[in-house]
Amino acid sequence: MNHIKNFFKEKGLYLFCLALVFAATAAGILALRSVVNNMTELTQLRKDALQEDSTWDQPDTAVNNPASDVPEPTSTPSAPPSASDAASGASSAPAAASAAPSATAAPSAQPAASSAFWQGEPAAAFSGDELVYNETLGDWRTHNGADYAAKTGDAVTPKQPGKVTAVREDALWGGVVEITDAGGLVWRYCGLADPEVKTGDEVSAADTLGKVGEIPAELHAEPHIHLECLKDGAYQDPAAAVG
C-alpha cells in the first residue's frame, strides 16, 4: 500500500495532466464531430433550397397582344364608297393589273348605247391584295371589283357583250348577272334591280341587263354598280380588263 501511495504522490501530477489531455482530446473530437455534422446539415439544406428554387412556377399574366397584321381603322377610305369583298372573301388570287395601256380605250369602242358610267373612272377602284375598310360591314377586306357611280333606276347595259351564264339574288350583293365574253372573261354586275335577262341569253352592249338598285354590302356608298371581272377564277381589274 505504501508503494501505491508513494506512486500516486510522486506521479499524481502527471496522471492528472494526462487525464486532462485525454479529456481535452475527447472534447475536441466531440466538437469536431459536431462541426462536421453541422456542415453536413447546412450543405443538405443548401441543396434542398437550390432544388426548390429551380422548380418555381411562372405566374399567370394576362396578355394583350392585338393582331399586328390588321390595320387599325384610324381613317376612313379616301374613296366615297368603302368597297368590300365579294362573298368569296379575301382569298382570291392576286389581281393582274398589268393589262396593256390600250385596254383602257376598249369601252370607247362600244356602241353609244352602252351605259355612260363605264366610260368614267370608278368611284371605288379595284384594290387587288390591299385591304380597304368597309363602312357598311365594319371590317377590312379586299375590294374585288370596281364601283361605278350611277343614279338609282338607271338602265344598266353590259360593258362587254357575251353570254349570260348566271342570274341570281345575293344577300350581300343584291341582284347579280354574270356574263362570259368571247375572250373567256366573266363579268359580274352586282346591285341590279329587276334583271331583264336570263341564263343563256346572248347580249350586246346595247341590251339592258336591269336597273341600278341597292348593294347590301355597300349601303354606305352612293348608288352605284359593283362590277367584277374574273379570268380562270382569279379577280382582275375591271377598269383595265378587256375580253
Side-chain angles (χ1 to χ4, degrees):
M1 290 293 294
N2 291 331
H3 291 291
I4 295 174
K5 290 180 179 180
N6 290 333
F7 176 80
F8 278 107
K9 286 182 180 179
E10 295 175 358
K11 305 296 183 181
L13 179 60
Y14 297 104
L15 292 174
F16 178 74
C17 291
L18 184 60
L20 289 177
V21 170
F22 277 114
T25 302
I29 291 174
L30 291 175
L32 181 60
R33 290 182 63 182
S34 177
V35 171
V36 171
N37 289 335
N38 290 337
M39 292 294 295
T40 302
E41 292 177 0
L42 180 59
T43 301
Q44 186 62 39
L45 289 174
R46 293 182 64 184
K47 288 182 178 179
D48 293 342
L50 289 174
Q51 290 179 354
E52 291 178 359
D53 289 341
S54 63
T55 58
W56 60 279
D57 294 329
Q58 184 176 7
D60 296 332
T61 56
V63 177
N64 181 18
N65 186 21
S68 59
D69 58 343
V70 179
E72 293 293 336
T74 56
S75 61
T76 56
S78 57
S82 298
S84 64
D85 189 9
S88 57
S91 59
S92 306
S98 59
S102 60
T104 57
S108 60
Q110 297 176 0
S114 178
S115 298
F117 42 82
W118 300 139
Q119 315 299 327
E121 291 294 325
F126 175 77
S127 72
D129 294 330
E130 181 182 356
L131 297 177
V132 295
Y133 186 70
N134 184 301
E135 293 184 22
T136 302
L137 301 179
D139 62 7
W140 292 83
R141 55 177 62 206
T142 57
H143 187 232
N144 291 339
D147 294 345
Y148 290 88
K151 294 180 181 180
T152 301
D154 280 355
V156 179
T157 56
K159 187 175 186 221
Q160 289 288 114
K163 183 176 182 179
V164 178
T165 50
V167 178
R168 66 179 185 274
E169 188 73 20
D170 189 272
L172 289 178
W173 302 103
V176 178
V177 172
E178 291 185 3
I179 297 176
T180 301
D181 66 19
L185 294 179
V186 177
W187 298 86
R188 185 177 293 161
Y189 300 82
C190 304
L192 290 175
D194 305 323
E196 299 182 17
V197 294
K198 62 183 183 300
T199 302
D201 287 350
E202 293 285 347
V203 294
S204 68
D207 291 326
T208 299
L209 303 180
K211 296 180 175 61
V212 177
E214 289 186 345
I215 301 177
E218 297 178 347
L219 290 177
H220 277 73
E222 296 295 328
H224 65 280
I225 290 294
H226 176 88
L227 177 63
E228 297 178 351
C229 180
L230 297 92
K231 181 178 182 180
D232 299 326
Y235 288 98
Q236 311 292 310
D237 183 356
V242 288

